[in-house]
Amino acid sequence: MEPGNLVEASGIEVRRGRSMVLNEASLSLGQGEVIALIGENGSGKSTLIEAISGIIPLRSGVVQWRLENGSNREVRDSQGRRRPLPPMGLTLQKDGMSGEETVIERVATSLAVSGLSYDESILTRLLEEWGLSHRSNSRVAHLSSGLRRRLSVLSGIAPVALSSSPRVSILDEPSEGLDNASKDLLGGWIRAMARSGHGIIIATHDRDVIQWADRVVEVRNATLKESPGESSGPELNLPKTLEIVDQTPIKSLIKWAISMEMRN
């Protein structure tokens, strides 16, 4: 990997059945960069995000991530090998949250899985800033679509924004379903995260969101075409960074799974 890069996807090919979705696609994300992925519906934006995140198999190519100790790790290759990602943030277009967990549990789990130490006062401040404190003990299934999306976005950026070490946040259509105030808050956090050395990849159709990006990458005909971005938008002050503790994601996920099972 090139010095300063947090993620590199090199020559990746992905197929869905007989369809070629990505063909020899390469993309790098550096520290302090915001990349907007654009393209028509079905062009392959979400597939590229899933490939970079190590979720789907590759027909060819390799995806590498920079670890917090400075070394590199191949998280996916064309031989079927898959290794864990370093701590990061992820918001999918379909949020993937359990309807049984509460709002405060969702944020707490996102921080715990990423190895950040927190207490209830930190969770309360996050929920207050994102307009979710009045529903902190509500189950996700009982939220409106707008509040649910707000929670999903917060859970995808908080593990990065509150880290003192450069991390990556990957967001798929994060502004979809947000009101204007929440979208402005998201933009301010994203530009501030970039200023702090984090890397952000956003798949979007939203022109306002595209303006936040330093680079714009269009997915078309299974290939990537890059152009400069505007890097616009105000920067907000992020919450104080949290201590990074030695906690494996598996331990936190098992704890979460047990609590969900006992609730049912």
Side-chain angles (χ1 to χ4, degrees):
M1 291 179 64
E2 292 292 327
N5 281 349
L6 297 172
V7 178
E8 286 186 6
S10 304
I12 61 174
E13 177 184 321
V14 178
R15 291 178 176 268
R16 301 282 196 185
R18 295 183 178 181
S19 300
M20 177 81 74
V21 183
L22 295 171
N23 183 21
E24 291 296 316
S26 296
L27 180 70
S28 64
L29 175 70
Q31 290 184 215
E33 268 196 319
V34 181
I35 294 177
L37 300 180
I38 65 172
E40 297 179 356
N41 288 334
S43 62
K45 299 186 302 298
S46 295
T47 297
L48 180 56
I49 279 180
E50 292 170 357
I52 290 172
S53 304
I55 296 173
I56 58 176
L58 309 177
R59 289 289 295 268
S60 65
V62 64
V63 177
Q64 298 182 82
W65 283 59
R66 176 70 45 80
L67 304 183
E68 293 190 340
N69 64 10
S71 62
N72 304 329
R73 173 181 292 170
E74 290 187 1
V75 300
R76 267 287 191 180
D77 63 20
S78 58
Q79 304 303 312
R81 289 183 286 263
R82 181 179 182 182
R83 301 180 68 191
L85 297 177
M88 51 87 75
L90 178 65
T91 294
L92 297 174
Q93 188 171 12
K94 295 181 179 179
D95 56 55
M97 297 186 295
S98 167
E100 294 302 312
E101 59 188 339
T102 66
V103 169
I104 198 167
E105 286 173 342
R106 171 88 305 266
V107 178
T109 299
S110 72
L111 296 177
V113 168
S114 67
L116 296 178
S117 176
Y118 64 90
D119 56 32
E120 190 167 345
S121 66
I122 292 167
L123 299 176
T124 299
R125 288 198 296 272
L126 287 173
L127 295 180
E128 286 176 350
E129 182 162 359
W130 281 81
L132 292 163
S133 58
H134 66 298
R135 301 298 300 270
S136 61
N137 293 314
S138 298
R139 295 196 181 189
V140 170
H142 298 160
L143 298 179
S144 67
S145 58
L147 290 181
R148 182 165 179 148
R149 192 55 178 167
R150 202 182 301 174
L151 175 62
S152 177
V153 169
L154 174 59
S155 299
I157 61 177
V160 177
L162 274 62
S163 171
S164 58
S165 178
R167 289 183 173 182
V168 173
S169 184
I170 299 179
L171 310 170
D172 196 351
E173 301 289 356
S175 66
E176 194 173 85
L178 294 184
D179 57 30
N180 289 334
S182 298
K183 190 165 77 169
D184 290 344
L185 179 61
L186 171 62
W189 271 48
I190 283 177
R191 289 311 314 172
M193 288 159 62
R195 178 194 62 203
S196 299
H198 303 297
I200 304 97
I201 298 176
I202 313 170
T204 186
H205 291 94
D206 190 322
R207 293 188 177 184
D208 293 333
V209 175
I210 294 170
Q211 292 176 355
W212 306 338
D214 304 303
R215 289 192 285 146
V216 178
V217 177
E218 182 180 10
V219 185
R220 180 190 293 179
N221 298 326
T223 61
L224 308 183
K225 181 181 179 181
E226 184 176 315
S227 60
E230 297 183 20
S231 309
S232 66
E235 296 178 5
L236 299 179
N237 292 322
L238 295 174
K240 184 179 179 181
T241 58
L242 304 178
E243 180 185 1
I244 299 175
V245 295
D246 184 18
Q247 185 175 14
T248 64
I250 294 298
K251 181 179 178 180
S252 298
L253 287 171
I254 290 174
K255 182 179 178 181
W256 171 85
I258 291 174
S259 67
M260 293 299 101
E261 184 63 26
M262 291 179 64
R263 184 165 299 164
N264 292 326

